[in-house]
Amino acid sequence: MGAAAKKLAATVIGVDVDGDAVVVRYAPRRGSPNEIEDRIVLAPKGEMIAVNGVGRLLRILKAARVRAPRDPYNECADPNRAATLLHKCRGVIVDLHVARRFNRGLKIWTEEGVERISGVIDYTETPDALEIRRRGGRSVLNIPKLNIIRFELSSEEYYVVTSIEASSRFPLR
């Protein structure tokens, strides 16, 4: 694994439903961050993202020794049912493969107030404006320097779960 990816043991500490997905929260056994969230998408049924989501859900159930449904692709398509199953897994230790990501943002103070811009890729200061390139291929945002009192760039680190497996280091008793 590269410097931006790592494997860590984590405990399942909670589950929430978020639309067509369940959000599983983990607490790493050591180090930081304090908590990692994994949004597991379960719809649209039959699509690759949902198949991957059901696979993640099944690996958590296996690690917790919770019986999987007979037809997981049908029964876990409902996020509420999936969350009920995952609630039984609280306390289980799994190995997470995570990738480190950063979210950069700008805070800009103007006469009108404070504006926050997230998803910043880069910015350039020209004599007349602040040009901001953002994620997602959106057009360059130009803010005239006459309106800017000051600005500040910030960076927030977060982890994305790329894979889940039963922990071999902390087996259930």
Side-chain angles (χ1 to χ4, degrees), residues 124-132 141-146 148:
T124 305
E125 204 172 340
T126 67
D128 301 328
L130 190 61
E131 296 177 350
I132 304 164
L141 184 62
N142 285 303
I143 300 176
K145 272 194 169 175
L146 294 173
I148 298 174

Side-chain angles (χ1 to χ4, degrees), residues 101-137:
R101 301 285 188 259
F102 293 93
N103 184 26
R104 293 176 65 196
L106 269 173
K107 186 189 281 187
I108 301 172
W109 286 265
T110 65
E111 293 293 332
E112 292 80 36
V114 179
E115 184 177 350
R116 289 177 177 79
I117 301 168
S118 62
V120 173
I121 294 174
D122 195 8
Y123 72 92
T124 305
E125 204 172 340
T126 67
D128 301 328
L130 190 61
E131 296 177 350
I132 304 164
R133 288 184 340 132
R134 299 172 288 168
R135 265 193 327 244

Side-chain angles (χ1 to χ4, degrees), residues 24-45:
V24 182
R25 291 187 322 279
Y26 303 95
R29 303 280 292 175
R30 292 188 181 93
S32 64
N34 295 332
E35 190 174 296
I36 297 173
E37 286 189 354
D38 184 22
R39 188 172 192 275
I40 300 174
V41 179
L42 301 170
K45 189 176 165 187

Side-chain angles (χ1 to χ4, degrees), residues 1 13-15 22-23 28 40 44 47 58 62 66 71 77 98 105 115 131 142 149 153 155 162 165:
M1 270 184 239
I13 58 170
V15 179
V22 290
V23 178
I40 300 174
E47 293 291 324
L58 290 173
K62 180 180 178 183
V66 172
D71 185 1
V98 295
E115 184 177 350
E131 296 177 350
N142 285 303
I149 297 171
L153 182 66
S155 187
T162 57
E165 53 190 63

